[in-house]
Amino acid sequence: MATRARRTERRRQVLSREQIIDTAIELLDAGGEGGLTVRALTERLATGSGAIYYHVGTREELLDTATETVVAAALATEPSRTPATPEDEIRVVALGLFDAVAVHPWLATRLAVQLTRNPWGPVTVGIFEKIGRQVRALGVPHAIWFVAASTLVHYILGAVSQTGMGGDPPDAETDREKFFEATSTAWQELDPASYPFMHAISGQMREHDDREQFLAGIALILGGIANLP
C-alpha cells in the first residue's frame, strides 16, 4: 500500500504543467534547443510522452510556453527607483530581457521566432506593450508611436540576441575574453590606411562591457526620441 501511495503521489507531481515547463527550461539551459527532446523530458520526469502532450502539447508548443514563461518573469521586473521615469521603465525592460538571455541563451533565437512568426502572440505583444506605454509617457506624438516603439524593440532584441550567441549554452568567461582578445588583435593588424576606423577602435572592442554598451545604445535611441519634432 505504501509503495502504491508513493507511485500515485509521484504521478501527480510529474503531471504538473509547471513542473514540465520548469524541467523543459532546465534542459534548454543545459543543451540549447537540441537538448529539449520528448525523450529527454520523459526520462527526466519519469513519465510517458502522453502526459507531456496532454499538459503542454507538441515540442514546438512547449518551446513557445517556455519562452513565454521566461519573458513574463523578465517583464515583471520593477524599477528600483520610485517614482520611476519612462526612461527608467524602458531600461528595466531592456535589462530584464538582456539578463534573461544571458541566463537562458536559447531564448535569443526564440525571441526572434516570436517577433517574426507570431507578432500577435503574448511574447511580442507583451514586449511591445511594456515599451509602448513608456513611449507614450515620453510624450511622443501619436503618429510615430509605432516607429519609436519598434526602433527600441528591434534594438533590444537584436542586441540581446548577440548575448545568446545563437542559443547555445554559455561559454566560460575566459573563452569570451579570448574571443575579444583575438578579435581586437585581428583588427589591430589591419592596414590602418585601408581600415582607419577599425584600427582605431580595436582597443575599445577588447575593453568594452556588453551590458554598458547595451545601455549606451538605449540612451542613444532615447536621446533621438526626445528630439523628435
Side-chain angles (χ1 to χ4, degrees):
M1 292 296 292
T3 300
R4 181 177 300 177
R6 285 196 297 270
R7 288 177 178 172
T8 300
E9 181 62 26
R10 187 180 188 188
R11 190 175 295 112
R12 288 174 182 162
Q13 291 176 359
V14 299
L15 291 180
S16 163
R17 175 181 170 86
E18 290 73 19
Q19 186 176 2
I20 293 172
I21 295 169
D22 289 345
T23 303
I25 292 172
E26 291 174 3
L27 291 172
L28 287 164
D29 291 346
E33 286 194 29
L36 178 61
T37 64
V38 174
R39 180 176 181 178
L41 198 56
T42 55
E43 288 180 353
R44 179 72 66 88
L45 293 170
T47 190
S49 59
I52 306 299
Y53 292 123
Y54 175 79
H55 284 285
V56 295
T58 64
R59 178 180 179 275
E60 190 65 24
E61 289 172 324
L62 178 55
L63 279 167
D64 287 343
T65 302
T67 302
E68 292 167 17
T69 300
V70 174
V71 169
L75 295 181
T77 306
E78 296 292 337
S80 58
R81 183 169 60 181
T82 304
T85 65
E87 292 88 349
D88 291 335
E89 296 277 5
I90 289 171
R91 280 190 285 268
V92 167
V93 172
L95 284 176
L97 293 170
F98 183 91
D99 292 340
V101 170
V103 175
H104 311 284
W106 54 272
L107 183 62
T109 300
R110 299 311 303 178
L111 284 172
V113 169
Q114 291 294 319
L115 184 65
T116 57
R117 299 183 188 175
N118 192 20
W120 48 81
V123 171
T124 304
V125 170
I127 294 171
F128 261 92
E129 183 65 25
K130 274 283 193 177
I131 295 296
R133 289 185 185 186
Q134 304 314 316
V135 166
R136 181 177 61 184
L138 285 169
V140 174
H142 177 268
I144 53 175
W145 280 1
F146 176 73
V147 172
S150 294
T151 300
L152 280 163
V153 170
H154 284 284
Y155 168 75
I156 291 168
L157 297 187
V160 300
S161 69
Q162 297 181 30
T163 304
M165 293 187 172
D168 293 327
D171 295 325
E173 184 63 28
T174 53
D175 291 338
R176 190 169 183 78
E177 291 175 359
K178 289 179 181 178
F179 172 79
F180 286 146
E181 180 67 29
T183 303
S184 176
T185 299
W187 288 3
Q188 284 180 329
E189 293 174 352
L190 293 171
D191 179 8
S194 300
Y195 302 98
F197 180 79
M198 299 300 291
H199 194 269
I201 66 170
S202 59
Q204 296 176 13
M205 192 278 176
R206 180 194 293 113
E207 298 169 0
H208 88 279
D209 178 270
D210 285 346
R211 191 183 180 90
E212 291 179 1
Q213 183 184 43
F214 179 64
L215 287 174
I218 296 290
L220 287 171
I221 296 173
L222 289 176
I225 289 175
N227 291 318
L228 286 171

